[in-house]
């Protein structure tokens, strides 16, 4: 096995041993599972770029040198062919799509394998740390690998086979990457959307442009970021954008159109077909966050007095792009929804059986103005694949499918986590900056504590002109982590109560009742902190009584006084944190009524900030007194 990084820069010698250049790149023919090296690119005299056929001219190669079969005078130079790709120029240090792991990665090195004395093939891309170290220095890679192995944590290679790679930084529409290659075109739309979301804006537009209208529409419906979908469709001309909207399911298209400007949306809608335009406009007529906004108007309804054979005929006449058929919806003579028939029941029934005889008449329906979260929860509660949406007269308007319900529940869960200040680190993200942000987010108390230490140290030093006083003042914040952690927990306490509480319930406490309960809990926790301070005071008293010297007695009195101050500050700031919880609850309820999002992180920052300030104020006040 050999790596591209080991060949780069190696001397190229002709058959007479004369150096004619240094390796600058290798070319491969992309139409194979493990592509052969077909071209050798090197820098000749005067740094002149040259390229020759690998098969025709290369005699031997190793990690140190490449030897040719002929003298330099007999070499005939060639050019890169349409089906060839240069490894260093086109793949190394570029982003690729790992179609097996469904992720975007960066190529750090390329692994090659010799299948004969002169033939060399590309096995795959090294995307791990070893490839990065090897590209810097092979000796460094070997050293770090040995150290890691000696410590019991061997560094494994992370190789992505060529057959699972797809290039995204170059237009290779005319290049067949591999005979067994699974490209972006063959991936599920959700996987394509996930990959596109991880690319930077330039590559995002480039990859999106390579997809056809159907693939673009599928990816658009799967984006988690509405702003990204708007950005991509904004980069298309009006005809292309309207075609994509026509390919999308009506509910997904309506959601995307609602994010566009009014003028842009109107232009795109007018370019669409009458049927598609009418369906989207109908959905846009309902308020956001309602069942009408997420329902699809594509639902198969038939008269209840027809038979099973008629139903099958209607199924066969459906368009190929009809969104989904999970139930057959029956209507009475007044065109009102009267029942449903599952496809399973339809298949096992006799063709002459009347549909109303096999229908489920116990319907669970929704109104178009119902809250979409409530509809989603009912779909989960009753194990439905779709829920019909009916008008006040009982006429079928559309259906909310289970996949749309799952999207709603996922969004609701994400909002709840945001309110609760929750979050999780992306396990695949190894960037140090992201890790640092995640650590600070999960340990905000440490940030506030360090800030308080620095503030106390510098301000007291500046006031008294002696660094020793500043150090003593900084040490007085030793109990602050107690109050900071409790302040964070009080935010979790109030947000969890808010998420589980129904304000309309008779058992739901008023703000005043909640404030009284928080006060009692705050007094209890503050009392425990004071008790802890009393224990520390007593232990120090016992310790200092063993010293008979005036020195020991004096410093014992001073330390006892400091202990009383720092625990009093912790207890006081803790009580204030609990007194803030009814205010936070009132804010959460008010913003929820206004359909406004509230970040749990914001509440935590406010609570910790007030806790820090109150701790320092109480500490300084007790010192002055």
């Amino acid at each position: 096995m050999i790596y591209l990084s080991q060949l780069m820069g190696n001397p190229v010698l002709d058959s007479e041993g004369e150096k004619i250049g240094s390796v600058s790149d290798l070319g491969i023919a992309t139409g194979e599972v493990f592509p052969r090296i077909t071209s050798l690119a090197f820098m000749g005299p005067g740094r002149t770029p040259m390229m020759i056929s690998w098969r025709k001219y290369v005699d031997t190669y190793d990690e140190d040198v490449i030897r040719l079969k002929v003298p330099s005078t007999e070499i005939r130079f060639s050019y890169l062919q349409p089906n060839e790709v240069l490894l260093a120029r086109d793949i190394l240090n570029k982003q690729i799509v790992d179609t097996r792991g469904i992720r975007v990665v960066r190529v750090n090195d390329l692994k090659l394998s010799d299948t004969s004395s002169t033939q060399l093939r590309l096995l795959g891309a090294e995307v791990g740390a070893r490839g990065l170290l090897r590209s810097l220095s092979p000796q460094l890679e070997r050293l770090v690998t040995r150290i890691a192995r000696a410590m019991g944590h061997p560094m494994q290679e992370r190789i992505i086979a060529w057959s699972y790679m797809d290039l995204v930084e170059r237009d290779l529409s005319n290049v067949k990457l591999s005979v067994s290659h699974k490209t972006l075109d063959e991936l599920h739309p959700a996987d394509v959307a996930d990959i596109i979301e991880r690319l930077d804006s330039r590559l995002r537009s480039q990859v999106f442009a390579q997809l056809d209208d159907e693939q673009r529409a599928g990816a658009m419906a799967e984006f988690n970021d509405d702003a990204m979908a708007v950005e991509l469709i904004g980069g298309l001309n009006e005809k292309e954008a309207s075609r994509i909207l026509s390919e999308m399911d009506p509910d997904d298209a309506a959601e995307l159109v609602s994010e566009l400007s009014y003028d842009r949306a109107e232009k795109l809608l007018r370019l669409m077909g009458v049927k598609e335009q009418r369906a989207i406009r109908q959905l846009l007529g309902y308020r956001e966050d309602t069942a009408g906004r997420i329902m699809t108007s594509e639902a198969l309804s038939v008269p209840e007095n027809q038979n099973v054979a008629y139903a099958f005929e209607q199924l066969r006449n459906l368009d190929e792009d009809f969104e989904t058929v999970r139930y057959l919806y029956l209507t009475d003579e007044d065109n009102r929804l009267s029942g449903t028939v599952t496809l399973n029941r339809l298949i096992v029934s006799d063709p002459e059986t009347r549909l109303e005889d096999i229908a489920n008449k116990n319907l669970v329906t929704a109104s178009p103005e119902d809250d979409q979260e409530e509809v989603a929860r009912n779909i989960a509660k009753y194990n439905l694949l779709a829920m019909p949406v009916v008008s006040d007269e009982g006429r079928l308007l559309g259906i909310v499918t289970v996949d749309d319900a799952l999207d709603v529940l996922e969004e609701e869960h994400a909002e709840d986590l945001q309110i609760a200040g929750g979050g999780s680190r992306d396990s695949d993200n190894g960037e140090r900056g992201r890790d640092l942000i995640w650590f600070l987010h999960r340990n905000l108390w440490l940030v506030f504590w360090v800030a308080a230490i620095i503030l106390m140290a510098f301000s007291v030093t500046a006031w008294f002109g002696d660094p020793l006083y500043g150090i003593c003042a900084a040490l007085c914040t030793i109990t602050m982590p107690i109050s900071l952690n409790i302040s964070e927990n009080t935010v979790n306490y109030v947000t969890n109560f808010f998420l589980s509480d129904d304000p309309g319930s008779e058992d739901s406490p008023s703000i005043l009742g909640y404030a009284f309960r928080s006060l009692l809990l705050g007094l209890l926790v503050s009392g425990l902190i004071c008790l802890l301070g009393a224990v520390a005071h007593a232990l120090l008293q016992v310790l200092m009584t063993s010293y008979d010297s005036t020195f020991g007695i004096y410093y014992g009195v001073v330390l006892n006084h400091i202990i009383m101050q720092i625990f009093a500050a912790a207890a006081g700031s803790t009580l204030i944190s609990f007194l803030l919880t009814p205010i936070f609850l009132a804010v959460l309820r008010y913003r929820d009524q206004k359909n406004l999002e509230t970040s749990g992180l914001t509440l935590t920052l406010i609570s910790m900030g007030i806790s820090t300030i109150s701790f320092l104020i109480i500490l300084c006040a007790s010192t002055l007194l």
Side-chain angles (χ1 to χ4, degrees), residues 298-557:
E298 293 183 342
L300 180 59
S301 62
V302 296
E304 62 181 0
N305 56 5
Q306 293 290 344
N307 58 21
V308 172
Y310 177 84
F312 275 117
E313 185 65 26
Q314 296 301 306
L315 286 170
R316 282 190 287 268
N317 291 334
L318 291 177
D319 294 335
E320 291 183 2
D321 58 352
F322 196 85
E323 180 176 0
T324 182
V325 178
R326 294 177 172 89
Y327 300 100
L328 201 64
Y329 297 95
L330 307 185
T331 56
D332 60 17
E333 57 185 11
D334 295 324
N335 204 29
R336 292 176 300 194
L337 183 66
S338 61
T340 61
V341 179
T342 64
L343 291 184
N344 290 348
R345 188 68 184 274
L346 199 67
I347 291 171
V348 300
S349 298
D350 186 89
E352 299 303 321
T353 303
R354 289 169 60 90
L355 293 173
E356 60 183 341
D357 294 337
I358 59 173
N360 172 32
K361 299 297 181 71
N362 297 321
L363 299 177
V364 179
T365 63
S367 165
E369 295 299 327
D370 286 349
D371 184 86
Q372 62 182 23
E373 293 181 3
E374 185 64 28
V375 173
R377 284 193 286 266
N378 284 336
I379 289 177
K381 177 180 178 180
Y382 296 105
N383 294 321
L384 300 176
L385 297 176
M387 178 180 287
V389 180
V390 298
S391 65
D392 294 338
E393 295 79 21
R395 292 184 173 86
L396 182 66
L397 299 175
I399 58 174
V400 176
T401 57
V402 66
D403 54 328
D404 290 326
L406 288 174
D407 290 339
V408 170
L409 293 176
E410 184 179 359
E411 290 176 6
E412 179 188 12
H413 179 63
E415 291 173 1
D416 290 347
L417 284 179
Q418 185 182 26
I419 292 175
S424 62
R425 179 176 60 168
D426 185 353
S427 59
D428 292 332
N429 193 337
E431 298 180 12
R432 293 182 179 179
R434 294 283 183 88
D435 287 342
L436 179 60
I437 293 173
W438 176 85
F439 176 79
L440 294 177
H441 184 194
R442 305 301 295 179
N443 298 276
L444 282 174
W445 66 269
L446 184 61
V447 177
F448 280 89
W449 187 32
V450 171
I453 290 174
I454 295 173
L455 177 64
M456 288 290 288
F458 279 92
S459 58
V460 173
T461 299
W463 181 267
F464 290 99
D466 189 347
L468 183 60
Y469 285 98
I471 295 173
C472 293
L475 291 175
C476 287
T477 64
I478 193 170
T479 58
M480 184 179 285
I482 299 175
S483 58
L484 287 174
N485 277 283
I486 291 176
S487 70
E488 182 178 16
N489 287 327
T490 58
V491 174
N492 294 334
Y493 165 68
V494 70
T495 51
N496 288 333
F497 175 83
F498 167 75
L499 293 174
S500 60
D501 177 56
D502 181 9
S505 173
E506 295 180 357
D507 298 329
S508 177
S510 63
I511 295 296
L512 185 60
Y514 184 81
F516 180 71
R517 188 164 68 179
S518 298
L519 175 61
L520 293 179
L521 189 58
L523 290 173
L524 176 62
V525 176
S526 299
L528 291 175
I529 295 175
C530 290
L531 180 61
L532 181 62
V535 172
H537 173 78
L539 290 175
L540 186 63
Q541 193 75 20
V542 172
L543 181 64
M544 288 303 172
T545 54
S546 61
Y547 291 91
D548 295 330
S549 64
T550 305
F551 176 84
I553 296 174
Y554 172 76
Y555 279 98
V557 172

Side-chain angles (χ1 to χ4, degrees), residues 1-197:
M1 300 295 176
I2 195 169
Y3 295 88
L4 178 64
S5 60
Q6 296 171 332
L7 294 178
M8 296 292 288
N10 285 354
V12 179
L13 308 182
D14 66 5
S15 60
E16 298 175 352
E18 179 184 353
K19 180 180 178 180
I20 61 174
S22 301
V23 177
S24 60
D25 215 332
L26 299 177
I28 60 170
T30 57
E32 298 178 303
V33 177
F34 295 107
R36 291 176 295 107
I37 302 299
T38 54
S39 299
L40 170 64
F42 59 92
M43 288 293 181
R47 298 192 60 79
T48 304
M50 300 178 178
M51 182 175 292
I52 60 176
S53 168
W54 179 279
R55 179 186 60 81
K56 186 175 181 180
Y57 291 109
V58 174
D59 184 23
T60 61
Y61 62 89
D62 54 35
E63 297 180 11
D64 300 316
V65 66
I66 292 181
R67 300 182 184 275
L68 305 184
K69 301 176 182 178
V70 298
S72 58
T73 54
E74 297 182 16
I75 294 176
R76 297 294 180 267
F77 300 105
S78 59
Y79 300 92
L80 195 67
Q81 300 302 307
N83 68 330
E84 288 183 319
V85 174
L86 290 177
L87 297 184
R89 187 192 71 179
D90 299 326
I91 302 179
L92 190 64
N93 297 323
K94 299 294 192 302
Q95 283 184 309
I96 62 169
V97 175
D98 174 9
T99 57
R100 179 176 58 179
I102 314 301
R103 55 182 177 161
V104 178
V105 292
R106 185 168 294 276
V107 178
N108 295 326
D109 205 351
L110 291 158
K111 190 172 186 177
L112 309 170
S113 175
D114 49 347
T115 55
S116 67
S117 59
T118 59
Q119 193 174 73
L120 196 60
R121 290 183 180 270
L122 173 64
L123 293 183
E126 165 65 86
V127 298
R130 289 187 61 174
L132 183 61
L133 292 172
R134 193 184 305 111
S135 64
L136 297 174
S137 169
Q139 293 78 13
L140 177 62
E141 184 257 344
R142 285 194 290 268
L143 175 62
V144 174
T145 302
R146 289 173 182 172
I147 293 174
R149 188 184 302 114
M151 296 177 65
H153 298 283
M155 295 177 61
Q156 302 295 333
E157 285 187 327
R158 293 178 58 195
I159 303 294
I160 298 177
W162 172 257
S163 55
Y164 290 107
M165 289 167 51
D166 202 2
L167 306 181
V168 297
E169 292 211 30
R170 202 170 161 247
D171 182 9
L172 298 177
S173 56
N174 296 323
V175 177
K176 185 177 181 182
L177 294 180
S178 171
V179 293
S180 64
H181 199 125
K182 184 180 181 183
T183 65
L184 279 173
D185 300 343
E186 300 169 349
L187 293 176
H188 190 279
D191 294 329
V192 175
D194 185 53
I195 288 171
I196 291 176
E197 285 179 326

